[in-house]
Amino acid sequence: MPGMRVGERTVRVPLDWSDPARGDIEVFVRELVDPDRRGDDLPLLTYLQGGPGGANPRPLKADGWIEEALEHYRVVLVDQRGTGRSTPIDAQTVAATGDAEAGADYLACFRADSIVRDLEHVRATVYKGQKWTTLAQSYGGWLTLAYLSHAPEALSAAYVCGGVPGNPMSADEVYRRTFDRVAAKTAEYYRRYPQDADRVAAIADRLAAGPVHLPDGDVLTVRRFQTLGIDFGMKPGFERMHWLVEHAFITGDRLSEGFLADVLARTSSAANPLFWTLQESIYGDGPNGPTAWAAQRERDRRPEFGEDRRPLPFTGEMAFPWMFEEVRLLRGFAPAVHALAERREWSPILDAERLAANEVPVAAAVYFDDMFVDAGLQLDTLKGVGNSQAWVTNEFEHDGIGSGRVLTRLRDLVRDRGGERR
């Protein structure tokens, strides 16, 4: 590909690392290297994608953080289990496992601890145990702290972009903070585009007045429309919403097919069904109890997020139980997801003692205005991670990693403290 030599392979791993008899799945590995350096003995950098359930980037050219990384590393992109070209997962796959508890057991195999075990298997079998550096985006930070908790000897350094979880992890605490952040972002959207308040209200009024069907047959409800606010956490999110609602009506109160197609594309979960399915289970850690639809409980305590409020409030990265009724591609997950929400015991993710004793250089970009991962929680956690440092900035939103300057800054922080471990 332009500016990159690409290698691809698959590696088989157990579905359940604690019970290999349950069978194997495939994990897909893509490697990128500067074509002029493909024969060089380069250090490795593996990218820990956001999500949960996000596949690795499919680059069109060497730009952004990839361009920066290729100057220094051989880049390893492992599609996390259940994503991309790794063995796929959808509602039919989960339903075929049996009842609700069997489905929940299956979904639990796709959490951070299993992903770290997969990465360790790839590192051992494909790269002969060579240490590597990790670059994490969002949920990749969960994977980073899990890696530092379970196999720190594998890492030369860890760079994290907008993704340091609270420790101890608590879904309730996360949503208590992020609902406030979504409200602030929504207010900023209406401040920037005041004309959109009436347009959005008109859309919500039309949806409340009677069924409006999306191209796949789903009914577009007001609360599903509100979930589009998840994009407010990204740098161009306000602009994308502005252009979306601009063409909402074709005439009178009839919503245009183009608008409905765009809404479907943004809310169908076709590209990443695990995102909402595992959204709250990423906070399960050892005996910390059921998540029990924490986001819905927090929303129920906040009447200002009601569907009848005007200007219409939006929501963000919050999974609600009604999604598994209203979104066609999520309905088949419903029994398993409800069972998962009631789970009291989880596989362990974070080890506070090992994190406190950590010696791996860790540098984290903490986006001060981050709508998804509260900056205060991130900084509190980093206080308990040895050899870590934070770069706090409001220059970027949650997608700041798209700029190569973020990785450059994080690498400089580690270099100035002695560099990566070899």
Side-chain angles (χ1 to χ4, degrees), residues 5 24 30 58 74 103 127 135 162 201 245 247 260 269 311 321 323 326 344 368 374-375 411 421:
R5 176 81 173 187
D24 290 348
R30 177 176 284 112
R58 266 54 182 169
R74 189 177 300 273
Y127 295 102
L135 172 62
V245 302
H247 74 102
L260 295 173
S269 298
M323 290 176 166
E326 294 184 9
R344 295 186 175 277
F368 185 77
D374 180 78
R411 292 190 72 251
R421 301 194 310 172

Side-chain angles (χ1 to χ4, degrees), residues 139-173:
Y139 176 63
W142 272 245
L143 303 180
T144 300
L145 264 63
Y147 222 142
L148 293 172
S149 295
H150 296 280
E153 67 280 359
L155 306 183
S156 298
Y159 304 115
V160 181
C161 301
V164 179
N167 187 23
M169 291 196 284
S170 166
D172 292 286
E173 179 64 15

Side-chain angles (χ1 to χ4, degrees), residues 393-409:
T393 176
N394 66 355
E395 181 180 357
F396 302 98
E397 293 286 350
H398 194 69
D399 51 355
I401 195 172
S403 166
R405 292 189 294 119
V406 172
L407 175 56
T408 301
R409 174 67 171 142

Side-chain angles (χ1 to χ4, degrees), residues 216-231:
D216 69 343
D218 279 353
V219 173
L220 177 57
T221 59
V222 176
R223 58 190 180 184
R224 181 167 174 176
F225 178 59
Q226 287 176 287
T227 66
L228 291 170
I230 192 172
D231 204 21

Side-chain angles (χ1 to χ4, degrees), residues 237-274:
F238 295 151
E239 285 64 47
R240 282 193 288 255
M241 181 69 81
H242 175 66
W243 299 127
L244 174 70
V245 302
E246 181 187 60
H247 74 102
F249 291 99
I250 191 167
T251 183
D253 67 349
R254 183 159 63 92
L255 292 166
S256 75
E257 294 298 331
F259 167 79
L260 295 173
D262 286 347
V263 172
L264 174 63
R266 299 186 194 195
T267 64
S268 72
S269 298
N272 184 3
L274 288 180

Side-chain angles (χ1 to χ4, degrees), residues 146-345:
Y147 222 142
L148 293 172
S149 295
H150 296 280
E153 67 280 359
L155 306 183
S156 298
Y159 304 115
V160 181
C161 301
V164 179
N167 187 23
M169 291 196 284
S170 166
D172 292 286
E173 179 64 15
V174 166
Y175 295 121
R176 184 183 68 79
R177 297 185 184 219
T178 53
F179 265 95
D180 290 338
R181 289 189 174 273
V182 174
K185 292 288 187 182
T186 300
E188 174 61 17
Y189 164 62
Y190 286 131
R191 186 202 66 79
R192 187 176 299 183
Y193 297 108
Q195 66 272 39
D196 287 1
D198 288 341
R199 290 175 180 168
V200 169
I203 295 168
D205 290 345
R206 173 61 191 89
L207 299 179
V212 173
H213 293 274
L214 293 167
D216 69 343
D218 279 353
V219 173
L220 177 57
T221 59
V222 176
R223 58 190 180 184
R224 181 167 174 176
F225 178 59
Q226 287 176 287
T227 66
L228 291 170
I230 192 172
D231 204 21
F232 291 165
M234 306 299 183
K235 197 68 172 180
F238 295 151
E239 285 64 47
R240 282 193 288 255
M241 181 69 81
H242 175 66
W243 299 127
L244 174 70
V245 302
E246 181 187 60
H247 74 102
F249 291 99
I250 191 167
T251 183
D253 67 349
R254 183 159 63 92
L255 292 166
S256 75
E257 294 298 331
F259 167 79
L260 295 173
D262 286 347
V263 172
L264 174 63
R266 299 186 194 195
T267 64
S268 72
S269 298
N272 184 3
L274 288 180
F275 181 74
W276 293 123
T277 303
L278 295 179
Q279 187 62 226
E280 288 198 0
S281 70
I282 66 173
Y283 300 104
D285 189 10
N288 71 345
T291 56
W293 298 110
Q296 184 65 56
R297 290 199 312 276
E298 185 63 28
R299 179 172 180 164
D300 291 343
R301 286 192 284 266
R302 294 174 178 257
E304 66 271 23
F305 280 86
E307 299 169 41
D308 58 344
R309 293 300 179 98
R310 302 292 183 268
L312 183 73
F314 286 92
T315 56
E317 193 179 41
M318 296 133 179
F320 303 112
W322 56 260
M323 290 176 166
F324 298 87
E325 303 167 7
E326 294 184 9
V327 181
R328 181 177 62 88
L329 295 179
L330 294 180
R331 287 174 199 144
F333 287 105
V337 173
H338 284 292
L340 202 62
E342 297 306 318
R343 183 152 294 196
R344 295 186 175 277
E345 285 280 342

